Amino acid sequence: MRTPFIAGNWKMNMSRAEATDFANALKEKYHDTDVRTAICAPFVHLELLKNIFEGTDIKVGAQNCHFEDSGAFTGEVSVPMLEELGIDYCIIGHSERREYNNETDETVNLKLKRLFASSILPILCVGENLDQRDAGKEKEIVEAQVKADLEGLTAENVSALTIAYEPIWAIGTGRTASPEQAEEMCAHIRDIISDLYGDAVACETTIQYGGSMKPGNATELMNMENIDGGLIGGASLKVDDFMGIINF
Ligand code: 13P
């Protein structure tokens, strides 16, 4: 059985004061649960969150990293730097980074390989845009992304991987994929992994859905066989909404 995994992606939100208030309130309301929980925050808040969540099961993630360990890469943050802070997860290949920051399947693949040589587990994002879905190409688009992004990764890597299926048309739009649409793609992703690595690995990989997930639709989505969790944007900015999803 896969452990449900709910991760918040704060994106470029939260002041230091807001992050502190949120983390203290979450720590207070959080209770023992079988759900794996993480907050993926801007780099500048990571150490703060690690300190506040110390002694709890709440994990902390970054939203990007570089694939090189050091060097002339102005504005970038390396995996060893994140390891020094004890960071648990790192989102890779979010559609916003693919769209605005020239993230490609090639750089995503290099970042995944670097993370798997570290103590930090990646959360890989894939998903189609609205034109691609309207053209009926969503499955082939996601398949091409998964295959390119996982190139050269081992079975052991992929067993420990989280893949977030985030249809771009459902991100921040309030237009959630139906549970059936989300399940269909998450099952497709698991089939692709099964073809590449075998059934045992495919059974281990955690597959999240992301895109306008909130307390009101989390139960239906989480009840789907191949949806093991959620990557939560807007609803991870309010403690009660985030707790509502954790308590799906
Ligand atoms: P929303 O939950 O705001 O739609 O964002 C989803 C997302 O992009 C998480 O990575």
Side-chain angles (χ1 to χ4, degrees):
M1 271 304 286
R2 295 177 294 270
T3 310
F5 182 21
I6 302 293
N9 175 10
W10 279 0
K11 308 190 179 184
M12 195 174 71
N13 292 296
M14 296 284 203
S15 67
R16 188 173 174 84
E18 287 165 343
T20 307
D21 288 350
F22 178 102
N24 282 319
L26 181 64
K27 185 175 166 176
E28 202 163 291
K29 294 192 177 173
Y30 194 77
H31 47 81
D32 274 350
T33 160
D34 290 338
V35 178
R36 205 163 24 126
T37 304
I39 295 285
C40 300
F43 291 126
V44 291
H45 299 326
L46 295 178
E47 191 163 17
L48 174 88
L49 293 185
K50 278 304 286 186
N51 288 337
I52 296 176
F53 293 149
E54 198 183 334
T56 75
D57 289 336
I58 307 168
K59 307 291 188 193
V60 176
Q63 300 172 5
N64 179 41
C65 64
H66 201 276
F67 50 82
E68 294 288 356
D69 284 2
S70 62
F73 301 104
T74 303
E76 295 290 332
V77 171
S78 73
V79 174
M81 292 171 187
L82 296 173
E83 276 187 300
E84 280 185 325
L85 298 186
I87 297 310
D88 306 286
Y89 294 99
C90 186
I91 297 173
I92 294 296
H94 193 280
S95 57
E96 288 149 17
R97 292 206 63 84
R98 292 180 193 256
E99 182 173 358
Y100 306 127
N101 299 87
N102 297 323
E103 190 81 89
T104 63
D105 287 323
E106 196 182 354
T107 55
V108 164
N109 178 254
L110 289 170
K111 291 175 183 193
L112 290 176
K113 285 177 174 153
R114 182 62 191 86
L115 284 164
F116 276 120
S118 81
S119 55
I120 301 171
L121 288 172
I123 301 172
L124 163 66
C125 300
V126 295
E128 81 286 358
N129 65 29
L130 190 56
D131 287 348
Q132 292 161 339
R133 178 157 283 262
D134 285 345
K137 290 186 180 328
E138 67 274 13
K139 283 195 175 164
E140 69 183 80
I141 292 290
V142 169
E143 181 161 347
Q145 283 178 343
V146 170
K147 286 185 168 160
D149 295 347
L150 301 192
E151 178 69 39
L153 294 189
T154 67
E156 195 188 345
N157 293 157
V158 179
S159 301
L161 178 65
T162 299
I163 298 181
Y165 167 54
E166 298 207 315
I168 295 168
W169 48 271
I171 296 177
T173 57
R175 185 180 160 188
T176 324
S178 69
E180 292 75 22
Q181 284 173 319
E183 166 63 15
E184 192 180 7
M185 188 63 87
C186 292
H188 179 54
I189 292 170
R190 208 176 296 285
D191 284 345
I192 298 164
I193 294 171
S194 176
D195 285 347
L196 293 171
Y197 295 94
D199 267 354
V201 173
C203 279
E204 299 259 309
T205 308
T206 301
I207 303 181
Q208 297 174 320
Y209 166 76
S212 301
M213 198 160 161
K214 45 187 182 273
N217 59 27
T219 310
E220 268 191 313
L221 287 159
M222 291 297 294
N223 280 343
M224 291 289 163
E225 188 183 336
N226 286 288
I227 301 179
D228 309 319
L231 188 56
I232 321 296
S236 73
L237 299 172
K238 296 206 175 99
V239 174
D240 288 340
D241 287 350
F242 192 59
M243 276 307 300
I245 297 173
I246 292 170
N247 291 330
F248 73 89

PDB file of all heavy atoms in Angstrom, residues 44-76:
ATOM      1  N   VAL A  44      14.092  31.191   0.585  1.00  0.00           N
ATOM      2  CA  VAL A  44      14.392  32.036   1.754  1.00  0.00           C
ATOM      3  C   VAL A  44      13.629  31.627   3.009  1.00  0.00           C
ATOM      4  O   VAL A  44      13.995  32.039   4.109  1.00  0.00           O
ATOM      5  CB  VAL A  44      14.119  33.534   1.471  1.00  0.00           C
ATOM      6  CG1 VAL A  44      15.131  34.083   0.481  1.00  0.00           C
ATOM      7  CG2 VAL A  44      12.693  33.756   0.985  1.00  0.00           C
ATOM      8  N   HIS A  45      12.564  30.821   2.848  1.00  0.00           N
ATOM      9  CA  HIS A  45      11.797  30.395   4.031  1.00  0.00           C
ATOM     10  C   HIS A  45      12.122  28.968   4.492  1.00  0.00           C
ATOM     11  O   HIS A  45      11.567  28.494   5.482  1.00  0.00           O
ATOM     12  CB  HIS A  45      10.286  30.464   3.749  1.00  0.00           C
ATOM     13  CG  HIS A  45       9.791  31.842   3.422  1.00  0.00           C
ATOM     14  ND1 HIS A  45      10.307  32.981   3.986  1.00  0.00           N
ATOM     15  CD2 HIS A  45       8.811  32.255   2.576  1.00  0.00           C
ATOM     16  CE1 HIS A  45       9.671  34.039   3.508  1.00  0.00           C
ATOM     17  NE2 HIS A  45       8.769  33.635   2.646  1.00  0.00           N
ATOM     18  N   LEU A  46      13.010  28.279   3.772  1.00  0.00           N
ATOM     19  CA  LEU A  46      13.205  26.849   4.054  1.00  0.00           C
ATOM     20  C   LEU A  46      13.760  26.598   5.454  1.00  0.00           C
ATOM     21  O   LEU A  46      13.283  25.723   6.186  1.00  0.00           O
ATOM     22  CB  LEU A  46      14.113  26.208   2.996  1.00  0.00           C
ATOM     23  CG  LEU A  46      13.533  26.168   1.570  1.00  0.00           C
ATOM     24  CD1 LEU A  46      14.553  25.565   0.605  1.00  0.00           C
ATOM     25  CD2 LEU A  46      12.239  25.359   1.533  1.00  0.00           C
ATOM     26  N   GLU A  47      14.768  27.378   5.830  1.00  0.00           N
ATOM     27  CA  GLU A  47      15.405  27.143   7.136  1.00  0.00           C
ATOM     28  C   GLU A  47      14.420  27.445   8.271  1.00  0.00           C
ATOM     29  O   GLU A  47      14.339  26.710   9.261  1.00  0.00           O
ATOM     30  CB  GLU A  47      16.667  28.006   7.258  1.00  0.00           C
ATOM     31  CG  GLU A  47      17.505  27.623   8.460  1.00  0.00           C
ATOM     32  CD  GLU A  47      18.929  28.163   8.376  1.00  0.00           C
ATOM     33  OE1 GLU A  47      19.192  29.087   7.562  1.00  0.00           O
ATOM     34  OE2 GLU A  47      19.777  27.675   9.139  1.00  0.00           O
ATOM     35  N   LEU A  48      13.676  28.515   8.082  1.00  0.00           N
ATOM     36  CA  LEU A  48      12.641  28.888   9.065  1.00  0.00           C
ATOM     37  C   LEU A  48      11.650  27.736   9.264  1.00  0.00           C
ATOM     38  O   LEU A  48      11.326  27.347  10.399  1.00  0.00           O
ATOM     39  CB  LEU A  48      11.920  30.126   8.512  1.00  0.00           C
ATOM     40  CG  LEU A  48      10.714  30.660   9.232  1.00  0.00           C
ATOM     41  CD1 LEU A  48      11.186  31.632  10.291  1.00  0.00           C
ATOM     42  CD2 LEU A  48       9.774  31.370   8.270  1.00  0.00           C
ATOM     43  N   LEU A  49      11.175  27.176   8.160  1.00  0.00           N
ATOM     44  CA  LEU A  49      10.191  26.084   8.256  1.00  0.00           C
ATOM     45  C   LEU A  49      10.811  24.843   8.901  1.00  0.00           C
ATOM     46  O   LEU A  49      10.176  24.188   9.730  1.00  0.00           O
ATOM     47  CB  LEU A  49       9.629  25.735   6.872  1.00  0.00           C
ATOM     48  CG  LEU A  49       8.768  26.810   6.209  1.00  0.00           C
ATOM     49  CD1 LEU A  49       8.186  26.292   4.900  1.00  0.00           C
ATOM     50  CD2 LEU A  49       7.634  27.277   7.108  1.00  0.00           C
ATOM     51  N   LYS A  50      12.047  24.522   8.512  1.00  0.00           N
ATOM     52  CA  LYS A  50      12.712  23.364   9.134  1.00  0.00           C
ATOM     53  C   LYS A  50      12.765  23.539  10.652  1.00  0.00           C
ATOM     54  O   LYS A  50      12.512  22.609  11.411  1.00  0.00           O
ATOM     55  CB  LYS A  50      14.145  23.202   8.599  1.00  0.00           C
ATOM     56  CG  LYS A  50      14.297  22.487   7.280  1.00  0.00           C
ATOM     57  CD  LYS A  50      13.707  21.102   7.217  1.00  0.00           C
ATOM     58  CE  LYS A  50      14.474  20.046   7.952  1.00  0.00           C
ATOM     59  NZ  LYS A  50      13.884  18.691   7.703  1.00  0.00           N
ATOM     60  N   ASN A  51      13.104  24.735  11.092  1.00  0.00           N
ATOM     61  CA  ASN A  51      13.207  24.996  12.533  1.00  0.00           C
ATOM     62  C   ASN A  51      11.858  24.852  13.223  1.00  0.00           C
ATOM     63  O   ASN A  51      11.750  24.216  14.270  1.00  0.00           O
ATOM     64  CB  ASN A  51      13.782  26.389  12.787  1.00  0.00           C
ATOM     65  CG  ASN A  51      15.260  26.447  12.452  1.00  0.00           C
ATOM     66  OD1 ASN A  51      15.942  25.421  12.445  1.00  0.00           O
ATOM     67  ND2 ASN A  51      15.766  27.635  12.147  1.00  0.00           N
ATOM     68  N   ILE A  52      10.819  25.433  12.633  1.00  0.00           N
ATOM     69  CA  ILE A  52       9.502  25.383  13.292  1.00  0.00           C
ATOM     70  C   ILE A  52       8.952  23.953  13.300  1.00  0.00           C
ATOM     71  O   ILE A  52       8.345  23.516  14.278  1.00  0.00           O
ATOM     72  CB  ILE A  52       8.509  26.358  12.622  1.00  0.00           C
ATOM     73  CG1 ILE A  52       8.990  27.795  12.803  1.00  0.00           C
ATOM     74  CG2 ILE A  52       7.091  26.186  13.196  1.00  0.00           C
ATOM     75  CD1 ILE A  52       8.166  28.852  12.106  1.00  0.00           C
ATOM     76  N   PHE A  53       9.171  23.203  12.202  1.00  0.00           N
ATOM     77  CA  PHE A  53       8.603  21.844  12.112  1.00  0.00           C
ATOM     78  C   PHE A  53       9.474  20.783  12.782  1.00  0.00           C
ATOM     79  O   PHE A  53       9.128  19.599  12.767  1.00  0.00           O
ATOM     80  CB  PHE A  53       8.381  21.452  10.644  1.00  0.00           C
ATOM     81  CG  PHE A  53       7.312  22.261   9.945  1.00  0.00           C
ATOM     82  CD1 PHE A  53       7.402  22.522   8.579  1.00  0.00           C
ATOM     83  CD2 PHE A  53       6.205  22.747  10.627  1.00  0.00           C
ATOM     84  CE1 PHE A  53       6.422  23.261   7.931  1.00  0.00           C
ATOM     85  CE2 PHE A  53       5.217  23.498   9.994  1.00  0.00           C
ATOM     86  CZ  PHE A  53       5.330  23.754   8.634  1.00  0.00           C
ATOM     87  N   GLU A  54      10.592  21.192  13.371  1.00  0.00           N
ATOM     88  CA  GLU A  54      11.463  20.215  14.034  1.00  0.00           C
ATOM     89  C   GLU A  54      10.676  19.446  15.095  1.00  0.00           C
ATOM     90  O   GLU A  54       9.893  20.035  15.845  1.00  0.00           O
ATOM     91  CB  GLU A  54      12.655  20.941  14.680  1.00  0.00           C
ATOM     92  CG  GLU A  54      13.779  19.984  14.979  1.00  0.00           C
ATOM     93  CD  GLU A  54      14.950  20.641  15.675  1.00  0.00           C
ATOM     94  OE1 GLU A  54      15.142  21.867  15.516  1.00  0.00           O
ATOM     95  OE2 GLU A  54      15.660  19.913  16.384  1.00  0.00           O
ATOM     96  N   GLY A  55      10.851  18.138  15.120  1.00  0.00           N
ATOM     97  CA  GLY A  55      10.136  17.319  16.106  1.00  0.00           C
ATOM     98  C   GLY A  55       8.744  16.917  15.650  1.00  0.00           C
ATOM     99  O   GLY A  55       8.042  16.207  16.358  1.00  0.00           O
ATOM    100  N   THR A  56       8.301  17.369  14.465  1.00  0.00           N
ATOM    101  CA  THR A  56       7.013  16.935  13.906  1.00  0.00           C
ATOM    102  C   THR A  56       7.292  16.066  12.681  1.00  0.00           C
ATOM    103  O   THR A  56       8.435  15.948  12.246  1.00  0.00           O
ATOM    104  CB  THR A  56       6.140  18.126  13.445  1.00  0.00           C
ATOM    105  OG1 THR A  56       6.673  18.633  12.200  1.00  0.00           O
ATOM    106  CG2 THR A  56       6.126  19.252  14.465  1.00  0.00           C
ATOM    107  N   ASP A  57       6.215  15.499  12.108  1.00  0.00           N
ATOM    108  CA  ASP A  57       6.381  14.707  10.871  1.00  0.00           C
ATOM    109  C   ASP A  57       6.229  15.568   9.620  1.00  0.00           C
ATOM    110  O   ASP A  57       6.196  15.046   8.513  1.00  0.00           O
ATOM    111  CB  ASP A  57       5.325  13.592  10.826  1.00  0.00           C
ATOM    112  CG  ASP A  57       5.611  12.521  11.859  1.00  0.00           C
ATOM    113  OD1 ASP A  57       6.787  12.391  12.250  1.00  0.00           O
ATOM    114  OD2 ASP A  57       4.657  11.840  12.274  1.00  0.00           O
ATOM    115  N   ILE A  58       6.084  16.868   9.791  1.00  0.00           N
ATOM    116  CA  ILE A  58       5.867  17.727   8.616  1.00  0.00           C
ATOM    117  C   ILE A  58       7.209  17.976   7.926  1.00  0.00           C
ATOM    118  O   ILE A  58       8.164  18.450   8.543  1.00  0.00           O
ATOM    119  CB  ILE A  58       5.221  19.077   9.019  1.00  0.00           C
ATOM    120  CG1 ILE A  58       3.953  18.835   9.841  1.00  0.00           C
ATOM    121  CG2 ILE A  58       4.925  19.915   7.768  1.00  0.00           C
ATOM    122  CD1 ILE A  58       3.411  20.079  10.526  1.00  0.00           C
ATOM    123  N   LYS A  59       7.273  17.602   6.648  1.00  0.00           N
ATOM    124  CA  LYS A  59       8.514  17.716   5.876  1.00  0.00           C
ATOM    125  C   LYS A  59       8.561  19.045   5.128  1.00  0.00           C
ATOM    126  O   LYS A  59       7.538  19.712   4.967  1.00  0.00           O
ATOM    127  CB  LYS A  59       8.621  16.565   4.878  1.00  0.00           C
ATOM    128  CG  LYS A  59       8.469  15.190   5.494  1.00  0.00           C
ATOM    129  CD  LYS A  59       9.646  14.848   6.374  1.00  0.00           C
ATOM    130  CE  LYS A  59       9.593  13.401   6.849  1.00  0.00           C
ATOM    131  NZ  LYS A  59      10.537  13.152   7.938  1.00  0.00           N
ATOM    132  N   VAL A  60       9.771  19.380   4.673  1.00  0.00           N
ATOM    133  CA  VAL A  60       9.963  20.663   3.979  1.00  0.00           C
ATOM    134  C   VAL A  60      10.592  20.413   2.611  1.00  0.00           C
ATOM    135  O   VAL A  60      11.529  19.618   2.480  1.00  0.00           O
ATOM    136  CB  VAL A  60      10.849  21.598   4.823  1.00  0.00           C
ATOM    137  CG1 VAL A  60      11.134  22.904   4.082  1.00  0.00           C
ATOM    138  CG2 VAL A  60      10.162  21.904   6.161  1.00  0.00           C
ATOM    139  N   GLY A  61      10.068  21.090   1.610  1.00  0.00           N
ATOM    140  CA  GLY A  61      10.597  20.923   0.258  1.00  0.00           C
ATOM    141  C   GLY A  61      10.946  22.249  -0.381  1.00  0.00           C
ATOM    142  O   GLY A  61      10.396  23.298  -0.031  1.00  0.00           O
ATOM    143  N   ALA A  62      11.879  22.181  -1.360  1.00  0.00           N
ATOM    144  CA  ALA A  62      12.188  23.339  -2.208  1.00  0.00           C
ATOM    145  C   ALA A  62      11.353  23.221  -3.482  1.00  0.00           C
ATOM    146  O   ALA A  62      10.660  22.223  -3.693  1.00  0.00           O
ATOM    147  CB  ALA A  62      13.678  23.347  -2.525  1.00  0.00           C
ATOM    148  N   GLN A  63      11.412  24.258  -4.307  1.00  0.00           N
ATOM    149  CA  GLN A  63      10.596  24.265  -5.533  1.00  0.00           C
ATOM    150  C   GLN A  63      11.436  24.134  -6.796  1.00  0.00           C
ATOM    151  O   GLN A  63      10.893  24.122  -7.914  1.00  0.00           O
ATOM    152  CB  GLN A  63       9.778  25.558  -5.597  1.00  0.00           C
ATOM    153  CG  GLN A  63       8.833  25.734  -4.427  1.00  0.00           C
ATOM    154  CD  GLN A  63       8.184  27.106  -4.403  1.00  0.00           C
ATOM    155  OE1 GLN A  63       8.359  27.917  -5.315  1.00  0.00           O
ATOM    156  NE2 GLN A  63       7.431  27.375  -3.357  1.00  0.00           N
ATOM    157  N   ASN A  64      12.750  24.069  -6.620  1.00  0.00           N
ATOM    158  CA  ASN A  64      13.666  23.959  -7.757  1.00  0.00           C
ATOM    159  C   ASN A  64      15.070  23.750  -7.195  1.00  0.00           C
ATOM    160  O   ASN A  64      15.311  23.977  -6.004  1.00  0.00           O
ATOM    161  CB  ASN A  64      13.636  25.251  -8.577  1.00  0.00           C
ATOM    162  CG  ASN A  64      14.578  25.213  -9.762  1.00  0.00           C
ATOM    163  OD1 ASN A  64      14.694  24.198 -10.455  1.00  0.00           O
ATOM    164  ND2 ASN A  64      15.276  26.311  -9.998  1.00  0.00           N
ATOM    165  N   CYS A  65      15.996  23.315  -8.044  1.00  0.00           N
ATOM    166  CA  CYS A  65      17.412  23.272  -7.678  1.00  0.00           C
ATOM    167  C   CYS A  65      18.209  23.289  -8.974  1.00  0.00           C
ATOM    168  O   CYS A  65      17.634  23.146 -10.056  1.00  0.00           O
ATOM    169  CB  CYS A  65      17.744  22.004  -6.886  1.00  0.00           C
ATOM    170  SG  CYS A  65      17.521  20.489  -7.853  1.00  0.00           S
ATOM    171  N   HIS A  66      19.519  23.471  -8.884  1.00  0.00           N
ATOM    172  CA  HIS A  66      20.369  23.339 -10.070  1.00  0.00           C
ATOM    173  C   HIS A  66      20.953  21.932 -10.090  1.00  0.00           C
ATOM    174  O   HIS A  66      21.005  21.271  -9.055  1.00  0.00           O
ATOM    175  CB  HIS A  66      21.495  24.388 -10.045  1.00  0.00           C
ATOM    176  CG  HIS A  66      22.067  24.631 -11.403  1.00  0.00           C
ATOM    177  ND1 HIS A  66      23.045  23.829 -11.952  1.00  0.00           N
ATOM    178  CD2 HIS A  66      21.777  25.572 -12.333  1.00  0.00           C
ATOM    179  CE1 HIS A  66      23.343  24.269 -13.170  1.00  0.00           C
ATOM    180  NE2 HIS A  66      22.593  25.327 -13.432  1.00  0.00           N
ATOM    181  N   PHE A  67      21.370  21.490 -11.287  1.00  0.00           N
ATOM    182  CA  PHE A  67      21.945  20.131 -11.370  1.00  0.00           C
ATOM    183  C   PHE A  67      23.446  20.116 -11.118  1.00  0.00           C
ATOM    184  O   PHE A  67      24.014  19.060 -10.849  1.00  0.00           O
ATOM    185  CB  PHE A  67      21.610  19.467 -12.711  1.00  0.00           C
ATOM    186  CG  PHE A  67      21.898  20.310 -13.921  1.00  0.00           C
ATOM    187  CD1 PHE A  67      23.174  20.379 -14.451  1.00  0.00           C
ATOM    188  CD2 PHE A  67      20.874  21.046 -14.513  1.00  0.00           C
ATOM    189  CE1 PHE A  67      23.437  21.164 -15.564  1.00  0.00           C
ATOM    190  CE2 PHE A  67      21.130  21.837 -15.636  1.00  0.00           C
ATOM    191  CZ  PHE A  67      22.419  21.899 -16.158  1.00  0.00           C
ATOM    192  N   GLU A  68      24.099  21.297 -11.185  1.00  0.00           N
ATOM    193  CA  GLU A  68      25.520  21.353 -10.841  1.00  0.00           C
ATOM    194  C   GLU A  68      25.657  21.634  -9.343  1.00  0.00           C
ATOM    195  O   GLU A  68      24.779  22.230  -8.734  1.00  0.00           O
ATOM    196  CB  GLU A  68      26.218  22.470 -11.633  1.00  0.00           C
ATOM    197  CG  GLU A  68      26.269  22.241 -13.132  1.00  0.00           C
ATOM    198  CD  GLU A  68      27.248  21.152 -13.564  1.00  0.00           C
ATOM    199  OE1 GLU A  68      27.968  20.601 -12.692  1.00  0.00           O
ATOM    200  OE2 GLU A  68      27.278  20.834 -14.760  1.00  0.00           O
ATOM    201  N   ASP A  69      26.793  21.232  -8.763  1.00  0.00           N
ATOM    202  CA  ASP A  69      26.973  21.402  -7.314  1.00  0.00           C
ATOM    203  C   ASP A  69      27.407  22.801  -6.919  1.00  0.00           C
ATOM    204  O   ASP A  69      27.176  23.251  -5.795  1.00  0.00           O
ATOM    205  CB  ASP A  69      28.014  20.406  -6.794  1.00  0.00           C
ATOM    206  CG  ASP A  69      27.428  19.014  -6.697  1.00  0.00           C
ATOM    207  OD1 ASP A  69      26.241  18.842  -7.065  1.00  0.00           O
ATOM    208  OD2 ASP A  69      28.141  18.100  -6.268  1.00  0.00           O
ATOM    209  N   SER A  70      28.121  23.489  -7.824  1.00  0.00           N
ATOM    210  CA  SER A  70      28.599  24.839  -7.522  1.00  0.00           C
ATOM    211  C   SER A  70      29.072  25.455  -8.832  1.00  0.00           C
ATOM    212  O   SER A  70      29.144  24.770  -9.847  1.00  0.00           O
ATOM    213  CB  SER A  70      29.770  24.792  -6.532  1.00  0.00           C
ATOM    214  OG  SER A  70      30.852  24.090  -7.119  1.00  0.00           O
ATOM    215  N   GLY A  71      29.359  26.744  -8.793  1.00  0.00           N
ATOM    216  CA  GLY A  71      29.925  27.370  -9.986  1.00  0.00           C
ATOM    217  C   GLY A  71      29.245  28.677 -10.332  1.00  0.00           C
ATOM    218  O   GLY A  71      28.504  29.249  -9.531  1.00  0.00           O
ATOM    219  N   ALA A  72      29.522  29.139 -11.551  1.00  0.00           N
ATOM    220  CA  ALA A  72      29.042  30.449 -12.004  1.00  0.00           C
ATOM    221  C   ALA A  72      27.622  30.320 -12.546  1.00  0.00           C
ATOM    222  O   ALA A  72      27.401  30.295 -13.762  1.00  0.00           O
ATOM    223  CB  ALA A  72      29.998  30.994 -13.063  1.00  0.00           C
ATOM    224  N   PHE A  73      26.657  30.196 -11.641  1.00  0.00           N
ATOM    225  CA  PHE A  73      25.245  30.072 -12.013  1.00  0.00           C
ATOM    226  C   PHE A  73      24.450  31.054 -11.151  1.00  0.00           C
ATOM    227  O   PHE A  73      23.782  30.674 -10.181  1.00  0.00           O
ATOM    228  CB  PHE A  73      24.752  28.634 -11.806  1.00  0.00           C
ATOM    229  CG  PHE A  73      25.525  27.627 -12.616  1.00  0.00           C
ATOM    230  CD1 PHE A  73      26.478  26.819 -12.020  1.00  0.00           C
ATOM    231  CD2 PHE A  73      25.309  27.513 -13.987  1.00  0.00           C
ATOM    232  CE1 PHE A  73      27.200  25.903 -12.775  1.00  0.00           C
ATOM    233  CE2 PHE A  73      26.035  26.605 -14.746  1.00  0.00           C
ATOM    234  CZ  PHE A  73      26.983  25.796 -14.138  1.00  0.00           C
ATOM    235  N   THR A  74      24.567  32.324 -11.501  1.00  0.00           N
ATOM    236  CA  THR A  74      23.980  33.389 -10.693  1.00  0.00           C
ATOM    237  C   THR A  74      22.485  33.161 -10.441  1.00  0.00           C
ATOM    238  O   THR A  74      21.737  32.890 -11.377  1.00  0.00           O
ATOM    239  CB  THR A  74      24.186  34.744 -11.405  1.00  0.00           C
ATOM    240  OG1 THR A  74      25.592  34.922 -11.611  1.00  0.00           O
ATOM    241  CG2 THR A  74      23.633  35.891 -10.573  1.00  0.00           C
ATOM    242  N   GLY A  75      22.111  33.260  -9.192  1.00  0.00           N
ATOM    243  CA  GLY A  75      20.692  33.140  -8.832  1.00  0.00           C
ATOM    244  C   GLY A  75      20.235  31.718  -8.577  1.00  0.00           C
ATOM    245  O   GLY A  75      19.084  31.497  -8.223  1.00  0.00           O
ATOM    246  N   GLU A  76      21.120  30.742  -8.755  1.00  0.00           N
ATOM    247  CA  GLU A  76      20.720  29.341  -8.597  1.00  0.00           C
ATOM    248  C   GLU A  76      21.078  28.793  -7.211  1.00  0.00           C
ATOM    249  O   GLU A  76      21.928  29.361  -6.511  1.00  0.00           O
ATOM    250  CB  GLU A  76      21.393  28.477  -9.664  1.00  0.00           C
ATOM    251  CG  GLU A  76      20.957  28.803 -11.084  1.00  0.00           C
ATOM    252  CD  GLU A  76      19.515  28.395 -11.380  1.00  0.00           C
ATOM    253  OE1 GLU A  76      19.014  27.442 -10.750  1.00  0.00           O
ATOM    254  OE2 GLU A  76      18.889  29.052 -12.232  1.00  0.00           O
TER     255      GLU A  76
END
